[in-house]
Amino acid sequence: MRVLLVEDDQPIADSLRRGLVRYGYEVTWVRTGAEALDAGPADMVLLDLGLPDVDGLDVCRELRARGDVPIIVISARADEVDRVVGLEIGADDYVSKPFGVREVIARMRAVARRVRPVADEPAGAPSPDSPAGGRLVIDRRARRVHVDGDELALSPKEYDLLAFLADAPGAALTREQIMEAVWDAHWFGPTKTLDVHIGALRRKLGDAAVVETVRGVGFRLVVAG
């Protein structure tokens, strides 16, 4: 899926772009409304309202007048009026800053399911209720996890962590990638919280799946057959 990211804040754009690329999206990043309107075809638009040249709402209105490309507004404007106006002029969803990469991707998938078949999601993107492999099954629609048919009692962050690791079973993911995806790029708490949640997952998964430590890198999920 080709994503047009319209965002003037470079740190936010860099973080979001890295996350999207990791999930298989092809990202074109522009900083202004003029660049957004001149950009090539896209399958989805992530549009900030605080652009340096024009109001993002005007860009949203023009993009909608040109076609039916899905548009998700990402903005620091949390006022209800801006939300309502954005949705009324054609945005498909509205996400307020600060946000996590996983939240944006979840919103994108939800919008994509409404406007096109799930089959059009990026190659390799996990289906909402697909098995992670072997004895472990992750129901992404319901945010529930089962091992050998029995449901695991996971906290919200434990679920998010497991779901992220299961997106690329066997792949070594860095601590930075995991913290950014699960706890947000702007997390300022102790990174030891990751180790605590990894320990909890290991206890609950038993031998159905192993969260291995990759020395000097991070962690990877190995699912038992």
Side-chain angles (χ1 to χ4, degrees):
M1 178 185 288
R2 297 165 298 177
V3 178
L4 175 61
L5 172 59
V6 190
E7 170 62 66
D8 184 45
D9 189 310
Q10 182 166 350
I12 292 177
D14 286 344
S15 173
L16 190 50
R17 183 169 51 175
R18 286 196 304 271
L20 293 173
V21 169
R22 232 178 13 245
Y23 276 81
Y25 295 94
E26 178 184 333
V27 183
T28 298
W29 171 44
V30 299
R31 306 183 75 149
T32 69
E35 290 176 311
L37 296 176
D38 288 340
D43 300 307
M44 185 168 296
V45 177
L46 300 180
L47 173 64
D48 186 17
L49 298 185
L51 302 177
D53 55 343
V54 296
D55 192 304
L57 290 173
D58 293 330
V59 178
C60 181
R61 185 182 291 109
E62 176 61 25
L63 288 174
R64 179 53 65 237
R66 295 181 180 185
D68 58 358
V69 59
I71 301 171
I72 298 179
V73 169
I74 52 174
S75 177
R77 302 183 194 175
D79 188 85
E80 183 180 3
V81 173
D82 286 312
R83 288 174 174 269
V84 172
V85 171
L87 295 171
E88 286 186 343
I89 64 176
D92 295 276
D93 204 348
Y94 194 114
V95 183
S96 295
K97 297 177 183 178
F99 50 74
V101 173
R102 286 188 66 86
E103 177 187 1
V104 174
I105 290 174
R107 299 290 190 100
M108 291 171 61
R109 288 176 174 171
V111 168
R113 284 195 292 271
R114 292 199 297 268
V115 301
R116 62 172 61 89
V118 173
D120 285 353
E121 290 191 353
S127 61
D129 54 358
S130 65
R135 299 154 56 195
L136 175 65
V137 177
I138 301 176
D139 183 340
R140 296 174 188 270
R141 289 192 179 92
R143 290 178 60 87
R144 301 170 72 177
V145 176
H146 293 80
V147 170
D148 297 333
D150 295 326
E151 183 173 358
L152 299 186
L154 300 181
S155 71
K157 282 301 181 189
E158 288 169 358
Y159 172 85
D160 290 341
L161 175 57
L162 177 59
F164 180 68
L165 293 172
D167 282 344
L173 301 172
T174 68
R175 297 177 69 90
E176 292 76 16
Q177 287 176 319
I178 297 170
M179 292 299 297
E180 180 178 310
V182 179
W183 276 271
D184 195 292
H186 305 293
W187 170 262
F188 294 108
T191 58
K192 186 171 178 57
T193 190
L194 172 57
D195 299 284
V196 172
H197 282 77
I198 289 289
L201 273 183
R202 285 169 170 163
R203 290 192 297 273
K204 294 180 180 182
L205 291 172
D207 60 357
V210 177
V211 182
E212 295 183 344
T213 299
V214 182
R215 189 177 299 277
V217 179
F219 302 94
R220 62 168 162 247
L221 181 70
V222 178
V223 181

